[in-house]
Amino acid sequence: MPISLTPNAITAIKAGDVNLKPLLQVLDIKLIGKSQERSKDRYRLLISDGISAQYAMLAVQLNDRVKSAQVEKGSIVQLIDYICSDVKGRNLIVVLNMETIVPHSETIGNPTMSADSDTKAQNPLSDLGSISPTNRFVFNEPSIQHFVNKAPSGGVNIQNPVNNTPTFRPSVQPSYQPPPSYRNHGPIMKNEAPARIIPIAALNPYQGRWAIKARVTAKGDIRRYNNAKGDGKVFSFDLLDSDGGEIRITCFNVVVDRFYDVIDVGKVYLISKGSLKPAQKNFNHLKNEWEIFLESTSTVELCPDEDGSIPRQQFSFRPISDIENAENNTILDIIGVVTSVNPSVPILRKNGMETHRRILNLKDESGKAVEVTLWGEFCNRDGRQLEELVESAFFPVLAIKAGKVSDFSGKSVGTISSTQLFINPDFPEAHILRNWFDHGGKDTASSSISRDNMPGGGSRNEIRKTVSQIKEEGLGRSDKPDWVTVKATISFIKTDSFCYTACPLMIGDKQCNKKVTQTGTNMWLCDRCNQESEECDYRYLLQVQIQDHTGLAWVTAFQESGEEIMGCPAKQLYSLKYELQNDEEFAEIVRNRLFHQYMLKLKIKEESYADEQRVKMTVVKVDMVNYISESKYLLNSLVRSL
Amino acid sequence: MDTSSPSAFVNGALLRRYIGQKVRTVVQVIGSDMGSVVGKSTDDLQIFVKGSPPASTTTYLEVIGIAESENSIRAETWTNFGISFDALNYNELCKLANGEFKHLFI
């Protein structure tokens, strides 16, 4: 049975119809804009409805159809998703999705290039009657619905091409006949009517005019940058529309000033004009291959009436058990019950800036628990609220939008700048979780997927070594110092010189502490400050022998750790020994400080003194042994080695 | 070291393996009477300790004696272990002491 093309389809498409799903014949395929990168190839089709023919661009994701010869010259195809936009007075059809109905056919009819003046007689609609349903054709399925957007401007909402592609089967439906008033007569006028609202998922760089209606789900801070072109500032925000399409909008420089204060998280905006650029996937984790750059001509209008059809936020929650196999740096959404919150601690970043970090534990129904690291502002704002809730024995549900997976030790999830936290949110998922937790989930043991190599006790960065391992493993010989913790006993303290005279002057908000030398009558001179002081400070410079079951080593302890080891200020010991000359009491104090066991954090670095390489070990922190956590540590090492 | 009369480390669940033998365990005191103490074992089971407890007991108490049943011990030695004691660690110790390497524990 011969196939009939959908009559007058070209005219209808050019008039703006996007629901027609016409059958058309491909008369020609041309590769244009061939570039080095295959992915940037573009194909231009000449499509015909049997009477008129028109050029159409093929969306990049359909390039394979041409490459694999599913679509050839002569193929009869059904357009499923397409857009016709007005580019500089010319109609440009972009085919977003289509199906091949007949792989090859003779040219049907006698099509002529479509002109803007519409002089061709229109075939009667009854032509459609000649298409009878065969196995190949499925009449309009119920799942394929055409719905009209509730937007005030009354635009027509087209299908979401991304979601529907895999399940689409060809369908034929009664043709749309454009009302006569849509036909173009006379010269082309600039279309002054508001642009049609289209779903975010249908946005592409080949549309001239578009508008989207979407809710702001996240808004970034203004960031300043400096590159080859000079200084600049940038901010971005994320949008979500009623079809679940999401996209990021980025503004630079003057555009920042224009829109930064207009944008509020949670509100709905009508946005039009702007250029689409490929999304920068390393910064932008949204499910969209494009992002929008607003320009000074762009319009951003607040929609005052609340549109309930646009969700406030879109999550795709993954169970914690999934994170175990997620790759490092994956961005994902999780929801769980907070079972513990650690205090916020200051952390020195690699660039020397101080930030805050707070670790909490989250568990869910998957039977797994994970550590969540809050950074910076999250520690105070949300972290404190969570801490208070957990302390009052109310374990809150926490939803995390866009957390980043880290595989630093085990798997954990950390916040990034675009992360959003929702405490006890009003989602169905949260209610299910709360119900699970309150009815048994609270008491079920969850195995943590974090800190795999960090059993019991000790802080996250602690590397435990024995004294002999320091030498055996050649610690301190690399470019950077090694930081390790040893559990060791102090076996000897050098007392002939245990402190030095330090400069008490302040440099900024810090004491100078450089060594001062006595000048004449009780005045102390600092070379650094180039000043004399009447008094000097005494600070520890202590040589200590430490010992564990594997061996012994000499370490140096400065002021704070020295005071910890000696149990009194250096000045007190100095005056006892040199001013009061009470050697007996001095010896007694020192003797009492021996044979105590400590957790010593050491900085180990090889240094050269007069062409001689020496590994220098400095005590940076002295802690009493915590027997509970130490027992846990030992038990864990025991169990692991069994 | 006297190894002639070893006392096995037990928690509440392990007690039944040693009925009639010498055991040692640590309990959290729940209540005490003239001739007995009711305690919670490190694995959250109830243990009755008979004998003559010390006049005052601390939160944690170590007892050494003969296991009479799966939940009672006739104690010979009573030692106050203070108010701060990590039951979880002790419980793990009991499991270790009764596992594959039992022979290493006296």
Side-chain angles (χ1 to χ4, degrees):
Chain A
M1 183 180 292
I3 296 278
S4 293
L5 302 178
T6 308
N8 299 319
I10 301 287
T11 316
I13 292 170
K14 282 163 70 179
D17 189 332
V18 290
N19 291 329
L20 185 58
K21 303 201 188 310
L23 287 183
L24 296 168
Q25 185 170 33
V26 177
L27 298 180
D28 192 28
I29 301 175
K30 193 176 179 193
L31 177 60
I32 57 168
K34 186 171 173 63
S35 69
Q36 300 293 26
E37 285 177 71
R38 270 173 71 90
S39 62
K40 285 188 182 162
D41 289 354
R42 300 286 307 189
Y43 288 99
R44 189 180 69 180
L45 310 180
L46 183 60
I47 48 174
S48 149
D49 59 7
I51 292 164
S52 51
Q54 169 76 31
Y55 285 116
M57 295 304 299
L58 195 60
V60 182
Q61 69 262 27
L62 298 178
N63 280 1
D64 280 346
R65 307 274 180 94
V66 174
K67 284 175 188 154
S68 61
Q70 287 176 57
V71 175
E72 297 177 309
K73 280 185 199 177
S75 295
I76 295 177
V77 297
Q78 183 184 27
L79 303 193
I80 294 168
D81 283 318
Y82 49 91
I83 287 169
C84 181
S85 41
D86 179 2
V87 178
K88 293 176 185 144
R90 283 178 55 196
N91 285 318
L92 178 68
I93 301 172
V94 179
V95 180
L96 300 172
N97 193 14
M98 64 177 184
E99 289 291 337
T100 304
I101 305 298
V102 177
H104 196 81
S105 164
E106 293 298 316
T107 305
I108 296 174
N110 186 20
T112 51
M113 277 305 287
S114 150
D116 281 299
S117 55
D118 191 359
T119 52
K120 297 259 184 304
Q122 305 218 337
N123 284 3
L125 260 176
S126 59
D127 262 20
L128 205 75
S130 62
I131 304 170
S132 56
T134 67
N135 289 340
R136 293 259 283 286
F137 295 82
V138 179
F139 270 78
N140 211 8
E141 292 174 71
S143 67
I144 305 164
Q145 292 169 355
H146 303 279
F147 49 88
V148 173
N149 199 329
K150 301 140 208 99
S153 63
V156 176
N157 209 337
I158 71 159
Q159 293 289 322
N160 177 340
V162 179
N163 292 345
N164 289 341
T165 311
T167 54
F168 240 104
R169 284 188 281 156
S171 67
V172 176
Q173 61 168 38
S175 151
Y176 166 85
Q177 182 81 16
S181 60
Y182 271 28
R183 289 185 213 152
N184 289 329
H185 293 288
I188 297 150
M189 299 284 288
K190 189 163 188 271
N191 188 351
E192 300 288 353
R196 247 171 343 112
I197 291 180
I198 63 169
I200 286 176
L203 282 174
N204 67 68
Y206 312 102
Q207 289 155 312
R209 289 159 48 77
W210 52 262
I212 50 174
K213 185 184 183 193
R215 192 186 298 281
V216 175
T217 55
K219 177 185 177 184
D221 295 327
I222 296 178
R223 282 188 300 112
R224 290 175 194 280
Y225 62 87
N226 180 296
N227 61 19
K229 290 179 195 160
D231 290 334
K233 57 184 171 179
V234 58
F235 101 100
S236 59
F237 55 98
D238 297 347
L239 294 177
L240 176 67
D241 75 0
S242 57
D243 292 333
E246 47 186 25
I247 196 163
R248 173 160 297 175
I249 293 198
T250 304
C251 306
F252 285 95
N253 302 325
V254 288
V255 187
V256 173
D257 300 333
R258 206 167 139 203
F259 294 121
Y260 186 78
D261 292 329
V262 177
I263 296 298
D264 278 322
V265 174
K267 292 195 176 148
V268 176
Y269 296 85
L270 259 174
I271 295 171
S272 182
K273 297 191 191 116
S275 54
L276 273 87
K277 304 264 166 79
Q280 299 218 283
K281 284 294 176 190
N282 42 343
F283 302 117
N284 180 350
H285 53 271
L286 299 182
K287 292 179 194 74
N288 199 322
E289 60 174 310
W290 309 109
E291 59 184 68
I292 300 172
F293 282 31
L294 287 188
E295 295 152 357
S296 47
T297 55
S298 304
T299 61
V300 174
E301 281 169 56
L302 179 66
C303 293
D305 49 333
E306 176 59 23
D307 186 340
S309 68
I310 306 176
R312 302 205 77 80
Q313 188 56 268
Q314 179 168 258
F315 294 91
S316 50
F317 290 121
R318 303 268 298 271
I320 291 174
S321 53
D322 271 16
I323 302 171
E324 208 163 6
N325 300 317
E327 282 199 32
N328 196 22
N329 296 335
T330 307
I331 304 291
L332 39 70
D333 305 340
I334 55 171
I335 186 165
V337 180
V338 180
T339 53
S340 69
V341 181
N342 290 3
S344 178
V345 290
I347 292 285
L348 208 59
R349 286 211 301 236
K350 279 183 187 139
N351 62 8
M353 306 261 281
E354 197 183 87
T355 183
H356 286 264
R357 186 184 74 185
R358 195 194 270 276
I359 292 172
L360 51 89
N361 275 289
L362 208 61
K363 74 176 186 175
D364 72 2
E365 289 167 284
S366 68
K368 298 282 182 185
V370 69
E371 235 171 45
V372 175
T373 311
L374 306 184
W375 294 98
E377 263 308 292
F378 287 112
C379 290
N380 298 329
R381 260 197 334 247
D382 312 84
R384 192 167 298 153
Q385 191 188 345
L386 289 167
E387 190 175 30
E388 281 165 9
L389 285 167
V390 169
E391 272 172 6
S392 58
F394 179 82
F395 300 97
V397 171
L398 176 67
I400 299 171
K401 171 78 185 165
K404 190 166 100 174
V405 174
S406 150
D407 60 2
F408 178 58
S409 67
K411 283 276 164 59
S412 61
V413 174
T415 61
I416 53 176
S417 59
S418 52
T419 299
Q420 287 177 281
L421 303 181
F422 299 87
I423 299 170
N424 290 319
D426 189 18
F427 308 149
E429 291 93 341
H431 299 312
I432 293 168
L433 203 57
R434 164 63 53 202
N435 194 41
W436 163 79
F437 188 78
D438 290 345
H439 296 92
K442 185 176 189 214
D443 301 316
T444 58
S446 301
S447 58
S448 179
I449 61 170
S450 308
R451 285 199 179 188
D452 271 348
N453 40 17
M454 197 48 67
S459 74
R460 164 170 285 241
N461 294 317
E462 190 179 289
I463 300 166
R464 183 70 78 87
K465 296 289 177 194
T466 61
V467 169
S468 65
Q469 275 177 317
I470 296 172
K471 210 170 277 174
E472 283 162 11
E473 297 178 10
L475 298 183
R477 301 246 170 92
S478 52
D479 294 342
K480 286 183 188 165
D482 283 303
W483 303 78
V484 303
T485 302
V486 294
K487 181 177 64 179
T489 302
I490 288 174
S491 52
F492 187 76
I493 299 170
K494 261 193 190 168
T495 52
D496 34 339
S497 153
F498 61 90
C499 67
Y500 71 96
T501 51
C503 174
L505 298 173
M506 297 299 284
I507 295 179
D509 54 354
K510 273 186 165 174
Q511 197 173 314
C512 168
N513 287 339
K514 280 275 177 254
K515 190 178 161 72
V516 288
T517 44
Q518 201 161 14
T519 54
T521 52
N522 283 337
M523 290 299 280
W524 300 90
L525 174 72
C526 174
D527 287 338
R528 186 210 228 171
C529 303
N530 204 16
Q531 273 190 55
E532 283 188 328
S533 330
E534 282 182 26
E535 291 204 20
C536 73
D537 205 0
Y538 293 88
R539 292 174 69 82
Y540 278 114
L541 177 59
L542 206 56
Q543 298 294 322
V544 176
Q545 194 185 52
I546 59 167
Q547 198 167 338
D548 71 0
H549 61 287
T550 64
L552 57 85
W554 282 96
V555 297
T556 305
F558 289 99
Q559 178 65 359
E560 286 76 18
S561 43
E563 201 167 302
E564 204 67 52
I565 290 168
M566 297 311 298
C568 66
K571 189 169 188 178
Q572 191 182 327
L573 272 189
Y574 180 87
S575 72
L576 192 66
K577 183 172 181 182
Y578 296 102
E579 288 163 14
L580 306 171
Q581 301 200 333
N582 189 341
D583 286 341
E584 219 163 279
E585 200 183 326
F586 179 82
E588 181 65 17
I589 288 176
V590 173
R591 201 160 39 241
N592 278 332
R593 303 312 294 175
L594 294 178
F595 305 113
H596 292 291
Q597 198 177 39
Y598 299 100
M599 305 300 302
L600 302 170
K601 189 163 186 187
L602 303 179
K603 178 188 171 188
I604 306 171
K605 181 83 188 90
E606 193 174 62
E607 286 173 11
S608 50
Y609 293 96
D611 294 338
E612 199 189 330
Q613 296 289 314
R614 269 178 54 189
V615 175
K616 195 174 176 196
M617 290 185 257
T618 313
V619 184
V620 288
K621 201 161 185 295
V622 180
D623 280 312
M624 302 303 288
V625 178
N626 176 330
Y627 292 103
I628 291 178
S629 59
E630 186 60 14
S631 299
K632 278 206 182 87
Y633 170 80
L634 291 172
L635 259 172
N636 266 309
S637 357
L638 206 59
V639 169
R640 267 184 306 145
S641 55
L642 288 185
Chain B
M1 192 187 290
D2 178 17
T3 58
S4 57
S5 164
S7 46
F9 283 100
V10 293
N11 59 18
L14 288 161
L15 193 56
R16 71 182 68 210
R17 293 201 206 168
Y18 294 92
I19 295 172
Q21 297 174 48
K22 198 166 181 185
V23 292
R24 79 165 68 205
T25 192
V26 174
V27 294
Q28 187 183 338
V29 177
I30 297 172
S32 61
D33 218 324
M34 277 299 286
S36 72
V37 162
V38 182
K40 191 174 77 172
S41 69
T42 53
D43 54 346
D44 273 348
L45 296 171
Q46 217 168 60
I47 294 184
F48 299 93
V49 192
K50 299 169 189 170
S52 38
S56 70
T57 54
T58 57
T59 312
Y60 291 95
L61 183 66
E62 188 200 43
V63 293
I64 302 173
I66 306 294
E68 286 195 330
S69 73
E70 60 174 46
N71 63 359
S72 69
I73 298 170
R74 177 156 300 277
E76 297 151 9
T77 315
W78 306 72
T79 313
N80 275 326
F81 265 23
I83 55 165
S84 155
F85 182 78
D86 193 70
L88 271 177
N89 275 329
Y90 190 84
N91 202 45
E92 291 306 309
L93 169 70
C94 294
K95 286 191 214 159
L96 268 183
N98 289 277
E100 197 185 343
F101 298 94
K102 194 177 166 179
H103 56 279
L104 294 175
F105 294 81
I106 300 165

